Amino acid sequence: MTREHDRGGEAGAEARPSATVMLLRECAASGLEVYLLRRAATMRFAPGMHVFPGGGVDERDTEPGIRWAGPPPAEWAARLGVAEPMARALVCAAVRETFEESGVLLAGPPAGGVVADTRGPDWEADRTALVDRALSFTAFLGDRGLVLRSDLLRAWSRWITPRREARRFDTRFFAAALPAGQHTRDVGGEADRVAWMRPAEAVAAWQRGELEMLPPTVTTCAELAEYGSPAAALAARRHIAPIEPAMREVGGELRFVVPEGVPYPRR
């Protein structure tokens, strides 16, 4: 990887809208920790890379009937710089994918609060049905009498896959604290390892070549390392502008080229 500035790039596939969530928790011994998944070696996109829970927008994430609490889609549209239907879809995808890939659900009853625990065979059956696209997220919330808690999310950044890549994503990064009483769990599928880590330790492991991450994940971990607690990170004021690395041949190898001004750590 390199931070070398790039002035252009080749046209590639259209970037698919997607969302990812940095789940944060406070550890008495080490302070802020973030949840990371290692993508299985069989995955077509970013095999072996450590990432946050997330994925592409499903067409059913745009359904206007989704049960919702917190800032409405119109406010998210202004924050994310997209039309209201896409804002609804991105927030929905963020919450849905987090549940699918970690078992953590940012939702609760209409009267307030958050689901206390999502372990058990009935929850697992619903999670599997969501992964298989046999159940829409709107129907899942409706069946359980829950509302999506958009107020638990904070918009963090926006990264776009380099244009030379065959599979491209326009990804909104969100942050959220692990709800009290809930637990992450290794649900398998796309990931073969999960871990809670201090962001600074994740960056240091990447610099030593012990843990592989793409530039958006490395950069985000470096940014999170500046905060001592989830509350401090969630209170941060973030200016969100699209960041699109490029691919350039450096020393005979194709490498990611991160734009100037992005706090990308050196390796």
Side-chain angles (χ1 to χ4, degrees):
M1 310 286 180
T2 179
R3 288 199 53 169
E4 185 176 343
H5 185 62
D6 186 82
R7 300 181 182 276
E10 297 178 3
E14 183 177 355
R16 178 186 177 188
S18 63
T20 190
V21 177
M22 297 97 69
L23 283 175
L24 311 176
R25 74 176 184 184
E26 188 160 4
C27 178
S30 58
L32 183 151
E33 293 183 333
V34 64
Y35 190 64
L36 289 167
L37 315 168
R38 187 177 70 179
R39 289 176 63 80
T42 54
M43 298 302 296
R44 291 179 60 192
F45 181 78
M49 295 291 172
H50 287 74
V51 299
F52 308 117
V57 167
D58 185 286
E59 62 180 24
R60 292 180 296 179
D61 290 332
T62 64
E63 293 176 348
I66 188 168
R67 297 162 63 92
W68 190 288
E75 288 189 27
W76 281 104
R79 183 75 180 101
L80 299 174
V82 295
E84 186 173 328
M86 179 53 68
R88 181 189 298 111
L90 287 165
V91 171
C92 184
V95 176
R96 175 182 54 76
E97 287 280 349
T98 299
F99 179 59
E100 290 180 8
E101 296 195 346
S102 73
V104 171
L105 181 60
L106 304 176
V114 186
V115 171
D117 196 356
T118 61
R119 292 173 292 182
D122 58 331
W123 286 104
E124 182 59 20
D126 281 349
R127 190 197 66 80
T128 301
L130 286 167
V131 171
D132 294 340
R133 299 300 182 259
L135 177 68
S136 74
F137 198 60
T138 300
F140 164 68
L141 293 177
D143 292 345
R144 287 189 170 269
L146 300 174
V147 296
L148 180 153
R149 287 285 306 274
S150 78
D151 56 314
L152 299 180
L153 290 170
R154 298 291 183 274
W156 191 267
S157 60
R158 176 187 179 189
W159 286 77
I160 303 173
T161 308
R163 298 181 186 183
R164 288 190 179 188
E165 292 284 354
R167 294 172 63 84
R168 302 182 64 229
F169 297 92
D170 184 348
T171 305
R172 266 47 177 221
F173 282 63
F174 297 88
L178 178 69
Q182 291 199 39
H183 304 268
T184 55
R185 60 182 188 271
D186 184 355
V187 298
E190 295 185 359
D192 61 10
R193 180 196 294 177
V194 300
W196 283 97
M197 298 185 69
R198 291 180 58 240
E201 289 181 353
V203 173
W206 170 80
Q207 290 173 322
R208 294 192 300 268
E210 300 171 358
L211 185 151
E212 292 301 322
M213 293 187 285
L214 292 172
T217 316
V218 178
T219 301
T220 303
C221 284
E223 293 170 337
L224 289 172
E226 300 296 319
Y227 302 94
S229 68
L234 294 174
R237 294 191 175 186
R238 301 284 302 172
H239 171 69
I240 300 176
I243 302 170
E244 185 176 349
M247 294 291 287
R248 170 182 282 184
E249 186 173 322
V250 178
E253 298 181 355
L254 278 177
R255 298 189 183 184
F256 288 103
V257 181
V258 178
E260 291 291 342
V262 176
Y264 182 59
R266 292 188 179 276
R267 195 170 192 176

